[in-house]
Amino acid sequence: MSFLRGGKTSQRLLQDLNIYNPDQLPTNGYNVLVELAFPYDEKTKPPKTTAKGSCKHHWALKPNACTSQVIDESEPALIVVGAFCTECRRHLSLEMDSRGEGPGVVPCPTLDDPLHHFCHNPKRSEGFRRTNGGLDFWEDTRLFQCSAQACSTRLTVRMRSPRLKRGFTDLLLDRKLIEERARKAMALDPERFEGHAVPPPLTVMSNLRAYLSNAMRGEVKHIQKNNKKWLLSLGEPCEELLSYLQFSFEEDLGWDPPRPDVTDTAPFSTDLKVLLDDVDNELQVLMSKQPDEEKRQLKLHFSFTPATKEIQSLLGCDDYKRSLASRTANESEDDEHPFYGGLGAVLDFHDSLIEFAYSRQNSCDPKNNSYYLQCLQGIAEGRNSEELRLKVVMEASTGKISIGQIQEAYAAFGLDMHSLYLDDEHIIGNFRSRISDAPRQEDDLRQALTIIGQHRNSSKIEHYATDTITTYEQALSWLGATADMDDSFIVTMHGVKVSENETNDKTARDCVEMIARTRNSMALRSWLLTGDLVQTDMDVGQAYARLDIGVRTVDDDLVLSAYNSALQDQPSQETELKSALIAIAKDRNSTTLKNYANVSAATDHKLSEWPVGLDNIGNTCYLNSLLQFYFTIKPLRELVLNFDDYKVDFETSAFEKKQVGSRNVSKREVERAQTFVLELQKLFNSMISANATDVKPEIELARLTLLSSSAEDTYRRRSTLKTQRPSLGEIEGKPVHGPQPPPVISEDTARERQDSVTVMGDDAQTVQTPISIMAGEEDRAGSDSTLFEKPSPMTLDLQEVDQQAKALENKENMAPRKQETGRPITPPESPLKPLADAAPSRINEQGTNTSDQNVSKDETMLSPTKSDSIQSLPPPPTRSAPPVPPRNKPLDRHEEIKKEVEFGAQQDVTEVISNVLFQLQCAIKPESIDESGEQIDRIKKLFFGKQKVTTTAKDGKARTKEEFFSDIKIQVSSGPRDIYAALDGAFDEQIVEVGTSKEPQFTSISLLPPILQLHVSRAQYNRVSKEFFKATHHLEIKETIFMDRYIDSDDADLQKRRAECWAWKKELGQLERREAYLRKTELEISMPEALEQTVTYLKQLLEDKDSPEAIEVPEDLPQKIAEAAKKTKEELSDLESRIKDLTTNINSQFTDLRTLPYHLHSVIIHRGVVSSGHYWIYIYDFMRKIWRQYNDDRVEEVADLTKIYQRDTDQHRPATSSFLVYVKEGLELDLTEAVCRQIDEEVVAGSSADVPIQIDGASDVQMLEGRSDSPMAKLSRWATDLQPHHHQEDVEMKDASNDAPVKLGAKEKFKELMRPSQILGHKNITW
């Protein structure tokens, strides 16, 4: 098949239509109607385009199948032309529909488009198909669309098989058969037929035509069963043919002719009338081929009206411009070079039409413009046309290259341009190798590499060829970014490139600089200069220029109009455009512009009726998504806001036995958890009362949310254990290093770590339950364990640290040797404090050990290894004591928290969710305790369900295990699927290894939670490249799901359905693997296609068997392989049918179980790669019945729900769902509330803390002047003190209780003083 995807001019389409036989394609499968000519290669023999013995059609007009031609061709219309071939009797119907919608639709031909240029539309074409359930009848339908922008013409080409199959024509033409049935009729009644002769075929067909013509006119008469003419010509032996033509036989009345609808006028539309008209035309063709003598005797003459003129008129090519040479030269289509077919042109086209065809091909198929340029160049040389040569030169000047140049470029590197295994990295590596071997040829090789880059449309290769980034598109491509990505993502991609290879830094910065220059991005320029992506204050002149406002005196409405227009055109530049608007607003002191600048451009909702956004404080987009989700869960929000009512008391016995996640929790963990809840409470209060569209989460909340206690220990251990030991100075010019102080590890911790070690080999597999374990169990698994979703860049460092830690732990916990147990050793002083048993995950907690009672006997003795090493040391040199070892300068606490947040941001979303749920449970008191000692509380009741794992032994006995789960993991690694198919993967039966036996196991749900969380696992590992990647397959989300099919139940019918479904899926998997094997071979084609091409190749070898270099091929081998190809096709067809049936069965197996509905509440979306990207969340408001998108500080209503439910159109980095939340039906309004705001509407939205306070009514202040401790006096002093520090965000006050300075934010202090209990009735205060 040809790889060209261009179109054909109308005359070319007609020329190909004349040799098109859809039922007789050549062995290579080439379709001359829908495909362009095979690319010409002078080194190889051109493939066949038609099959041997195929018909070259002579089309005759079928008047009864044509519409009347439209006089005014410029007017859109539907025109139909019907024709039949006078050679092969195939039927042709052409339907031209130029009825375009909307103004300005102009059908071709026009001045710019002198001919139609048709492109095949395979998706809307039915193609070749058998009809009437047999092999004798077929129909081929192809749809073409004119590629001209102003033309909406659609062309439908429909070709049908002859109506009279071989068996029918034998009845009419075979003189022996005619004589047999005539003699049989005569023998039944010799007297009646005396003197009658056997009719010739011409008479038989003439009689049949007469019966059909009468029926078409409505002149229907019964044919007596003893009618002599009827019996001699047709009769009972022709019953199959007569029944096909809808003759009917009744014993008493005889034969009844067909009865078509006489009201159906041309063009005929009823099936019977179309059939009879087609048969009549075919009978004329058959009769016309009978001997002339017989035609003269019967006085029959046949002439057919050629359809060429009508077809050309229909296609708009009846008067195209021809070349001068074609008018004088005696050239035929056989003399046509393949270059004409490549352009979709014909031999006699004028040069201007050749240029037109070339232009159209480039527009429709730009990927192959190099071959079209070669076609143009070849035709120009063949015609010796200066006009076409000039066109070639002009195209080359624009950077276009021909296929010949491309072949030479690949040859320069010894590469095969058609290789399936050729990628950019291989080509660039080859280029580097060549220039290192032949530096003098660097210029030629760079030119060749540039051509290859253009051919592959690879900006990366072009960049290496030119060694520069010259365009905005090249910069984006090199970084792996797209134009719609914002500045922060550009900086992220810079980091990704540098992390891949440090030598990429310069090029990556050049790319960022190019993007900054093109976007005119001050934020990116700031990052290039300072390393911080901050938006500096924009000069007002720059602001007007940025919004393209030439006159500064325009009113505010025009400024907003210019802002919104620029924002629509440049959505990735929203931050900078908003800065421009703010600069203009400040310059004008415009309240309208200030208010607009502080409200998201996408919303004009009242603050009290709209959720608040959350500022991104540095790679915390998914933190913001989770916080928004938690805030909308009403019971959780109420628990946080009223934390004192739920807070666990350390003095109660309940705390001593407190168990979360199947383990006891320590006091430190509870204290940390309560700190987290208090921080969350502060944020929730701010989200409720903020007079702004967005608020900023505290960094401490981010740290506590993103970083679990175990991850925090991991981070701190990583910062404590270094690979380089501290220097103790120098002796004789050489550095002396001391050992690191070993951490003191409890026995429980050592044992726990030993148990958590997993031996990994090349074939090791990670065993992961599909349903998440309870919150807290991931902590118990070990300090480094994570619910992995994306790889951490610190993985190698942590492994190295763990190796050091474990080595030290083994030393410190090793029992002393028997011979050394009696030797007392004085332990050295250590600043390290052993950990409490209740906190086994912590190590290296710094402190001073003041009690010997806290040190065990083993911990007071040095290990033998250490002792031996000390004794074997050589005596130290005689010199003064070494200097004090240098210590790392302690980090500022704020900086340390920032680094911990950065480390926590590497954790996965579900890991953070588990951490949040675990901390919430740690912080609150239990409502009850279950039989295992597990705490049951509000969080557990909201988010946790119970799963039951059932394993069946060989003896048929079932074992069950029940445990809590917080979310269900679903996979999309193997391909797109709907939510049920993904959920099935978590609950379907699987075979597990138990000891030495393999046993079936499945999971069911014994208790459904009110809030059902689904984690979409997308991180995958490529064992070949040894890299992680993100699976971007689409998950079809449903608004409502029914969980009945997954419930643990003894119902026999449900168990039977599950067993059937599991069996179907097992069979489906086997069939799909077989289908995939047959559908795609290593040659990127299907197995039948590979076999068919093999047959073609073998036949060519047999044709060349007399050649001296011939390869011996068995004569019957092509036939055997052809049979195998046929069987493989049939197998694929059977597979497709069975797969379809199985899929239908699986999808419909549980559709009637609908008693446990859950409704979609929220969807967390991720765009990016496995190691970077951006998160946002969609949340449904059940009260207002709308969806909102929460994207950091922006909260917008979702008008287009396809963003949530359908696959993202971005093929490069599609947005994909990563976490779903469903709420049980009937509890939606009880459990969720999207909007919860309590704010003062009179206060201007977005007011900042540096606005001065005005106090109206001097008498109120004077009245309280004498009372230095009065709230109004405090307020007055505070307002006075604040004025000189107008630009300071914090102010220092003195606490009245102890005169200690207290540093408070301006907003917080003002709110404290403005409480109703403090104001004492004074209402004339405004801020």
Side-chain angles (χ1 to χ4, degrees):
M1 298 175 67
S2 171
F3 62 79
L4 302 176
R5 294 293 178 265
K8 299 181 179 183
T9 60
S10 51
Q11 181 62 27
R12 180 76 210 185
L13 189 72
L14 175 57
Q15 182 172 306
D16 291 341
L17 188 60
N18 290 336
I19 58 174
Y20 181 50
N21 295 273
D23 58 324
Q24 287 183 287
L25 297 181
T27 55
N28 56 24
Y30 176 73
N31 189 312
V32 70
L33 182 66
V34 302
E35 296 185 61
L36 291 174
F38 280 101
Y40 174 70
D41 186 353
E42 60 183 6
K43 298 179 182 178
T44 60
K45 182 180 178 180
K48 294 181 180 180
T49 58
T50 58
K52 184 178 181 180
S54 59
C55 180
K56 189 171 183 180
H57 304 300
H58 295 83
W59 299 114
L61 196 66
K62 291 198 297 187
N64 292 329
C66 301
T67 59
S68 57
Q69 295 286 321
V70 179
I71 298 176
D72 186 359
E73 295 181 353
S74 64
E75 289 296 325
L78 174 64
I79 307 174
V80 181
V81 171
F84 63 95
C85 179
T86 59
E87 297 295 326
C88 65
R89 296 182 288 114
R90 289 178 175 89
H91 297 269
L92 174 68
S93 174
L94 300 176
E95 299 175 9
M96 179 80 83
D97 189 355
S98 58
R99 299 170 297 180
E101 297 180 359
V105 177
V106 182
C108 299
T110 62
L111 185 62
D112 294 331
D113 299 289
L115 289 173
H116 284 296
H117 181 263
F118 289 111
C119 292
H120 179 232
N121 188 337
K123 293 184 178 179
R124 299 185 60 182
S125 298
E126 297 180 14
F128 182 85
R129 61 188 182 92
R130 300 287 178 180
T131 58
N132 294 335
L135 300 177
D136 299 303
F137 302 103
W138 51 263
E139 185 175 287
D140 185 76
T141 305
R142 306 288 174 174
L143 182 69
F144 297 85
Q145 177 77 47
C146 182
S147 67
Q149 188 173 4
C151 181
S152 62
T153 299
R154 295 187 301 273
L155 173 67
T156 303
V157 179
R158 185 174 288 107
M159 192 176 290
R160 288 200 305 266
S161 61
R163 297 289 197 168
L164 298 174
K165 63 180 182 178
R166 176 68 179 271
F168 294 162
T169 58
D170 288 345
L171 292 172
L172 301 175
L173 297 174
D174 191 323
R175 294 178 184 270
K176 184 177 179 181
L177 292 178
I178 295 173
E179 184 176 359
E180 285 180 0
R181 65 175 179 261
R183 297 295 182 191
K184 185 178 180 180
M186 293 177 184
L188 294 175
D189 195 349
E191 293 182 2
R192 289 189 67 232
F193 288 98
E194 186 177 355
H196 287 77
V198 176
L202 196 59
T203 301
V204 174
M205 291 185 285
S206 179
N207 291 337
L208 180 56
R209 275 199 72 207
Y211 290 123
L212 297 180
S213 298
N214 291 337
M216 295 279 282
R217 294 192 299 269
E219 300 173 0
V220 179
K221 294 181 181 180
H222 284 286
I223 305 169
Q224 297 296 326
K225 60 181 180 180
N226 60 353
N227 184 298
K228 290 186 289 185
K229 183 173 69 171
W230 175 263
L231 292 174
L232 291 174
S233 298
L234 300 166
E236 186 178 350
C238 297
E239 182 179 2
E240 183 184 0
L241 169 61
L242 296 173
S243 297
Y244 171 69
L245 298 176
Q246 298 196 20
F247 284 83
S248 58
F249 178 74
E250 296 182 18
E251 189 65 32
D252 297 332
L253 301 176
W255 290 89
D256 189 26
R259 296 179 180 270
D261 183 3
V262 295
T263 62
D264 184 15
T265 59
F268 296 149
S269 58
T270 58
D271 292 342
L272 180 56
K273 213 157 190 182
V274 172
L275 169 66
L276 298 180
D277 184 59
D278 287 349
V279 170
D280 181 69
N281 289 319
E282 290 186 33
L283 288 173
Q284 293 184 68
V285 172
L286 295 173
M287 294 168 71
S288 69
K289 297 182 182 299
Q290 295 304 304
D292 293 338
E293 182 62 29
E294 292 183 13
K295 288 187 285 187
R296 282 195 296 269
Q297 289 177 1
L298 295 177
K299 298 181 180 180
L300 294 176
H301 176 69
F302 300 95
S303 64
F304 303 102
T305 304
T308 304
K309 182 178 180 181
E310 281 72 14
I311 294 176
Q312 286 184 319
S313 178
L314 173 80
L315 297 177
C317 58
D318 50 337
D319 190 25
Y320 62 87
K321 193 174 182 180
R322 290 171 170 80
S323 66
L324 294 176
S326 66
R327 301 175 188 176
T328 57
N330 185 21
E331 294 180 325
S332 66
E333 296 174 5
D334 296 334
D335 301 322
E336 184 182 82
H337 194 280
F339 284 157
Y340 287 95
L343 293 182
V346 294
L347 185 63
D348 64 351
F349 267 7
H350 189 270
D351 286 353
S352 61
L353 288 182
I354 296 293
E355 288 190 34
F356 163 74
Y358 167 76
S359 174
R360 288 283 80 213
Q361 296 296 65
N362 273 332
S363 177
C364 297
D365 187 20
K367 184 178 179 181
N368 292 305
N369 57 25
S370 56
Y371 178 71
Y372 300 132
L373 180 58
Q374 185 181 12
C375 292
L376 181 66
Q377 185 176 6
I379 295 174
E381 296 301 325
R383 289 188 170 191
N384 195 23
S385 168
E386 291 300 326
E387 182 180 350
L388 294 182
R389 283 175 176 156
L390 178 60
K391 178 68 175 177
V392 171
V393 172
M394 292 176 63
E395 291 294 284
S397 68
T398 63
K400 292 182 179 178
I401 49 178
S402 69
I403 195 70
Q405 293 174 293
I406 295 173
Q407 291 170 341
E408 291 175 0
Y410 280 95
F413 296 103
L415 300 174
D416 179 8
M417 63 180 291
H418 301 298
S419 173
L420 299 175
Y421 306 103
L422 203 59
D423 58 20
D424 289 358
E425 295 296 335
H426 179 73
I427 294 171
I428 293 172
N430 193 301
F431 165 73
R432 289 172 173 170
S433 175
R434 290 297 176 102
I435 61 174
S436 63
D437 294 339
R440 294 183 179 181
Q441 299 179 14
E442 181 174 349
D443 291 343
D444 294 337
L445 290 173
R446 286 193 181 277
Q447 184 177 0
L449 187 65
T450 301
I451 292 175
I452 294 176
Q454 291 176 336
H455 173 243
R456 298 175 66 90
N457 195 25
S458 170
S459 299
K460 187 173 185 178
I461 291 181
E462 290 186 54
H463 160 68
Y464 274 97
T466 59
D467 200 24
T468 56
I469 297 293
T470 58
T471 67
Y472 176 62
E473 290 74 17
Q474 282 181 341
L476 289 172
S477 175
W478 195 92
L479 288 177
T482 56
D484 60 343
M485 292 178 179
D486 59 18
D487 291 347
S488 62
F489 203 95
I490 297 299
V491 173
T492 301
M493 296 312 297
H494 169 277
V496 171
K497 285 293 184 182
V498 174
S499 66
E500 291 174 353
N501 189 340
E502 292 183 358
T503 60
N504 287 338
D505 182 58
K506 181 181 182 302
T507 305
R509 290 185 68 86
D510 291 343
C511 292
V512 175
E513 186 175 358
M514 171 63 69
I515 295 170
R517 186 164 59 250
T518 305
R519 291 183 175 183
N520 194 21
S521 170
M522 297 180 67
L524 288 178
R525 290 194 180 107
S526 171
W527 179 84
L528 289 167
L529 292 172
T530 67
D532 293 326
L533 189 69
V534 295
Q535 185 65 55
T536 57
D537 290 339
M538 188 178 292
D539 177 76
V540 67
Q542 291 178 321
Y544 279 105
R546 187 69 184 85
L547 297 182
D548 199 20
I549 300 175
V551 181
R552 299 192 183 187
T553 57
V554 298
D555 58 23
D556 290 349
D557 290 339
L558 289 178
V559 173
L560 291 177
S561 176
Y563 168 75
N564 286 319
S565 176
L567 183 62
Q568 184 176 3
D569 294 338
Q570 309 166 56
S572 63
Q573 297 299 294
E574 180 183 3
T575 302
E576 189 161 329
L577 293 170
K578 196 169 183 178
S579 296
L581 183 63
I582 292 172
I584 296 174
K586 289 181 178 179
D587 181 66
R588 294 185 173 204
N589 195 24
S590 167
T591 303
T592 300
L593 296 183
K594 285 181 180 179
N595 290 345
Y596 198 92
N598 279 290
V599 178
S600 175
T603 178
D604 56 358
H605 304 278
K606 291 179 63 177
L607 293 180
S608 61
E609 298 176 356
W610 203 250
V612 68
L614 298 177
D615 294 343
N616 190 319
I617 58 176
N619 294 332
T620 57
C621 49
Y622 74 72
L623 167 68
N624 290 343
S625 299
L626 295 177
L627 293 175
Q628 293 285 13
F629 160 57
Y630 295 137
F631 184 79
T632 63
I633 305 301
K634 192 191 302 185
L636 187 150
R637 187 176 66 226
E638 292 173 352
L639 181 152
V640 171
L641 294 175
N642 302 287
F643 178 50
D644 288 342
D645 298 337
Y646 299 91
K647 184 177 181 180
V648 66
D649 188 350
F650 290 103
E651 304 300 326
T652 62
S653 59
F655 169 72
E656 297 177 358
K657 301 178 181 179
K658 189 176 181 66
Q659 182 173 307
V660 177
S662 301
R663 72 173 177 88
N664 293 331
V665 293
S666 66
K667 181 178 180 180
R668 170 186 169 273
E669 288 176 307
V670 174
E671 290 173 341
R672 186 184 193 275
Q674 292 184 348
T675 303
F676 161 72
V677 178
L678 291 174
E679 290 292 332
L680 191 60
Q681 185 185 71
K682 286 164 53 178
L683 175 68
F684 281 5
N685 278 322
S686 179
M687 294 172 71
I688 293 171
S689 60
N691 260 325
T693 59
D694 53 88
V695 298
K696 183 177 182 179
E698 294 292 337
I699 193 170
E700 176 66 6
L701 173 61
R703 184 183 74 86
L704 294 171
T705 307
L706 297 173
L707 211 61
S708 65
S709 57
S710 61
E712 182 179 358
D713 292 331
T714 298
Y715 169 77
R716 292 181 179 178
R717 184 171 70 253
R718 175 179 177 271
S719 63
T720 304
L721 295 175
K722 301 292 185 181
T723 55
Q724 278 191 335
R725 293 173 295 167
S727 173
L728 301 181
E730 294 183 353
I731 295 178
E732 298 179 357
K734 297 181 179 180
V736 176
H737 295 286
Q740 299 239 2
V744 181
I745 310 295
S746 69
E747 293 182 5
D748 291 342
T749 302
R751 189 181 306 109
E752 198 165 276
R753 289 190 173 186
Q754 186 175 359
D755 294 341
S756 67
V757 174
T758 303
V759 180
M760 302 295 289
D762 294 339
D763 300 325
Q765 300 290 331
T766 300
V767 180
Q768 184 179 21
T769 179
I771 303 184
S772 293
I773 57 178
M774 294 191 304
E777 288 189 3
E778 69 277 7
D779 292 346
R780 185 179 57 173
S783 61
D784 294 334
S785 64
T786 58
L787 294 178
F788 185 78
E789 177 62 18
K790 60 182 180 181
S792 168
M794 299 185 180
T795 301
L796 293 179
D797 291 345
L798 293 180
Q799 290 176 351
E800 190 173 354
V801 168
D802 281 344
Q803 290 173 3
Q804 295 182 34
K806 289 174 183 175
L808 291 171
E809 289 168 16
N810 291 336
K811 277 188 174 185
E812 293 297 308
N813 291 289
M814 184 179 295
R817 295 179 182 178
K818 182 176 180 180
Q819 63 268 28
E820 295 177 347
T821 54
R823 184 178 56 180
I825 299 292
T826 303
E829 294 185 1
S830 172
L832 302 179
K833 181 174 67 177
L835 300 175
D837 293 341
S841 63
R842 296 199 58 191
I843 64 170
N844 284 356
E845 182 176 351
Q846 299 299 316
T848 303
N849 184 12
T850 58
S851 175
D852 295 338
Q853 297 176 356
N854 293 331
V855 183
S856 66
K857 181 179 180 180
D858 290 343
E859 290 170 341
T860 63
M861 296 184 178
L862 288 175
S863 70
T865 305
K866 187 173 182 179
S867 175
D868 292 346
S869 64
I870 293 176
Q871 289 180 345
S872 62
L873 288 175
T878 56
R879 52 156 293 171
S880 59
V884 177
R887 290 179 172 83
N888 292 332
K889 183 179 180 181
L891 285 174
D892 177 76
R893 178 56 184 159
H894 182 71
E895 290 299 318
E896 185 177 352
I897 291 176
K898 284 180 63 177
K899 290 184 176 295
E900 290 181 3
V901 170
E902 292 173 1
F903 177 73
Q906 300 164 12
Q907 312 307 309
D908 173 57
V909 179
T910 51
E911 185 179 354
V912 177
I913 291 177
S914 298
N915 177 42
V916 170
L917 297 181
F918 176 70
Q919 291 193 94
L920 287 170
Q921 290 186 274
C922 286
I924 62 177
K925 54 190 175 185
E927 295 181 2
S928 62
I929 305 295
D930 72 1
E931 62 277 3
S932 66
E934 180 72 14
Q935 169 176 311
I936 306 300
D937 49 47
R938 175 168 289 201
I939 299 301
K940 185 82 74 178
K941 291 179 179 180
L942 271 177
F943 296 99
F944 286 79
K946 280 191 175 182
Q947 66 165 349
K948 181 181 287 186
V949 180
T950 303
T951 308
T952 305
K954 287 185 176 181
D955 58 5
K957 293 182 179 180
R959 306 186 306 275
T960 61
K961 178 183 179 182
E962 192 175 45
E963 57 190 359
F964 285 102
F965 71 88
S966 59
D967 63 71
I968 302 174
K969 284 184 172 56
I970 56 180
Q971 298 282 345
V972 291
S973 57
S974 58
R977 58 186 58 194
D978 70 2
I979 186 71
Y980 285 119
L983 278 169
D984 289 349
F987 296 97
D988 282 347
E989 185 181 68
Q990 57 183 338
I991 303 300
V992 296
E993 291 187 2
V994 180
T996 58
S997 63
K998 295 183 178 181
E999 300 176 354
Q1001 182 184 90
F1002 72 93
T1003 305
S1004 57
I1005 298 177
S1006 55
L1007 176 65
L1008 276 166
I1011 298 175
L1012 182 64
Q1013 303 178 119
L1014 307 180
H1015 168 216
V1016 187
S1017 182
R1018 293 187 177 275
Q1020 304 295 320
Y1021 183 71
N1022 188 324
R1023 293 184 178 275
V1024 177
S1025 64
K1026 297 183 179 181
E1027 293 178 341
F1028 288 95
F1029 67 95
K1030 174 187 172 183
T1032 59
H1033 300 302
H1034 176 60
L1035 176 66
E1036 182 184 335
I1037 303 171
K1038 296 186 182 297
E1039 183 179 352
T1040 303
I1041 59 174
F1042 299 90
M1043 299 298 293
D1044 304 63
R1045 67 186 71 180
Y1046 308 116
I1047 291 298
D1048 176 50
S1049 173
D1050 295 330
D1051 182 67
D1053 178 63
L1054 179 59
Q1055 293 178 359
K1056 179 182 177 183
R1057 293 193 196 192
R1058 285 175 178 167
E1060 289 177 344
C1061 201
W1062 294 338
W1064 289 335
K1065 289 180 179 179
K1066 183 178 180 180
E1067 181 184 357
L1068 180 63
Q1070 295 171 346
L1071 296 181
E1072 287 178 336
R1073 287 190 291 273
R1074 176 62 178 172
E1075 184 191 34
Y1077 172 76
L1078 296 178
R1079 287 283 183 202
K1080 190 173 182 180
T1081 64
E1082 293 182 358
L1083 301 176
E1084 300 295 326
I1085 58 177
S1086 69
M1087 184 68 73
E1089 290 174 327
L1091 293 173
E1092 288 171 350
Q1093 291 188 16
T1094 303
V1095 172
T1096 302
Y1097 175 69
L1098 293 176
K1099 287 182 177 180
Q1100 290 178 351
L1101 292 179
L1102 288 173
E1103 291 176 1
D1104 299 336
K1105 62 182 179 180
D1106 296 331
S1107 171
E1109 300 177 356
I1111 300 174
E1112 185 177 352
V1113 176
E1115 294 287 342
D1116 61 342
L1117 184 57
Q1119 179 63 30
K1120 290 181 179 180
I1121 297 179
E1123 292 174 357
K1126 182 180 178 181
K1127 289 181 180 179
T1128 309
K1129 272 188 176 180
E1130 293 172 352
E1131 182 184 0
L1132 272 174
S1133 178
D1134 294 340
L1135 285 172
E1136 185 178 351
S1137 176
R1138 180 57 180 164
I1139 288 172
K1140 184 178 180 181
D1141 292 341
L1142 287 173
T1143 304
T1144 302
N1145 292 343
I1146 293 169
N1147 292 339
S1148 61
Q1149 182 74 337
F1150 302 100
T1151 53
D1152 59 322
L1153 302 180
R1154 305 169 69 86
T1155 62
L1156 295 173
Y1158 276 71
H1159 297 299
L1160 186 63
H1161 169 260
S1162 51
V1163 182
I1164 294 181
I1165 301 292
H1166 176 259
R1167 184 193 297 279
V1169 294
V1170 72
S1171 58
S1172 62
H1174 181 61
Y1175 286 91
W1176 66 90
I1177 187 171
Y1178 296 107
I1179 298 179
Y1180 185 66
D1181 187 335
F1182 286 102
M1183 181 175 296
R1184 294 168 176 80
K1185 301 186 185 306
I1186 61 172
W1187 280 95
R1188 296 186 183 89
Q1189 177 183 354
Y1190 299 70
N1191 193 343
D1192 287 335
D1193 58 338
R1194 301 181 61 178
V1195 182
E1196 303 168 344
E1197 183 175 349
V1198 182
D1200 182 8
L1201 297 185
T1202 60
K1203 295 180 179 179
I1204 303 173
Y1205 293 105
Q1206 294 187 11
R1207 177 175 176 81
D1208 189 13
T1209 55
D1210 185 354
Q1211 299 297 321
H1212 184 59
R1213 281 186 173 84
T1216 55
S1217 55
S1218 62
F1219 201 78
L1220 315 176
V1221 179
Y1222 284 85
V1223 179
K1224 191 173 183 179
E1225 186 177 88
L1227 300 178
E1228 298 93 342
L1229 297 180
D1230 295 330
L1231 298 182
T1232 69
E1233 184 182 33
V1235 180
C1236 180
R1237 303 292 295 272
Q1238 298 174 9
I1239 59 178
D1240 184 359
E1241 292 291 348
E1242 295 181 0
V1243 179
V1244 178
S1247 298
S1248 58
D1250 60 358
V1251 177
I1253 298 176
Q1254 297 177 350
I1255 306 178
D1256 297 331
S1259 59
D1260 290 335
V1261 179
Q1262 293 169 357
M1263 181 174 63
L1264 298 173
E1265 268 185 340
R1267 295 175 52 189
S1268 61
D1269 59 341
S1270 68
M1272 292 304 297
K1274 291 181 181 179
L1275 178 60
S1276 178
R1277 291 198 304 274
W1278 179 82
T1280 302
D1281 292 340
L1282 179 62
Q1283 296 298 326
H1285 309 283
H1286 182 70
H1287 295 291
Q1288 295 181 4
E1289 183 162 350
D1290 295 327
V1291 294
E1292 190 171 278
M1293 300 290 293
K1294 286 191 176 181
D1295 190 343
S1297 61
N1298 55 17
D1299 278 346
V1302 179
K1303 194 172 185 181
L1304 295 175
K1307 284 186 180 179
E1308 287 76 7
K1309 187 60 185 177
F1310 182 70
K1311 290 178 181 178
E1312 173 67 19
L1313 294 173
M1314 290 292 290
R1315 285 187 301 163
S1317 60
Q1318 299 287 338
I1319 294 177
L1320 300 177
H1322 292 271
K1323 301 178 181 178
N1324 298 325
I1325 301 175
T1326 59
W1327 184 35

